[in-house]
Amino acid sequence: MDIEELRRYCLSLSEETEEKFPFQQFKAAKDVLAFYIGGHIFCYFDINDLTHVTVKCQPEKVTELIERYDFIDHPITAMPNTGLA
């Protein structure tokens, strides 16, 4: 999947989906594109490096998805049971 495919997929999830570059004030994160529904981020990634894409996930699904797919890593957010990397 390339960046445009991922972008189209995220935008297709809801008519309310918005895309923003919310971290422009941080040099290291200025190229992070985030997708929102209802004002909440559900996916973000660096547009120059798709090796890490973070998506919001239901907490009860995190362990199951990590065990099922070897390309999914543990969450890297402050709330460890809500996002997958």
Side-chain angles (χ1 to χ4, degrees):
M1 180 175 278
D2 65 27
I3 187 171
E4 283 303 317
E5 289 173 312
L6 180 55
R7 183 179 168 271
R8 280 192 302 272
Y9 174 75
C10 289
L11 291 172
S12 75
L13 295 176
S14 170
E15 290 182 11
E16 296 179 28
T17 303
E18 298 178 73
E19 60 182 327
K20 301 177 186 178
F21 287 94
F23 307 113
Q24 292 294 296
Q25 69 272 29
F26 303 107
K27 184 178 180 180
K30 65 182 177 94
D31 292 329
V32 171
L33 178 59
F35 293 87
Y36 297 74
I37 293 179
H40 298 281
I41 292 177
F42 71 87
C43 179
Y44 63 91
F45 53 87
D46 186 318
I47 61 170
N48 300 308
D49 181 10
L50 283 182
T51 58
H52 292 91
V53 175
T54 300
V55 294
K56 190 169 184 180
C57 177
Q58 296 172 332
E60 60 273 9
K61 296 283 188 181
V62 172
T63 302
E64 173 189 339
L65 292 170
I66 289 171
E67 290 173 355
R68 180 181 285 175
Y69 302 103
D70 62 354
F71 56 86
I72 295 178
D73 203 353
H74 292 278
I76 56 172
T77 65
M79 298 179 66
N81 290 326
T82 61
L84 298 173

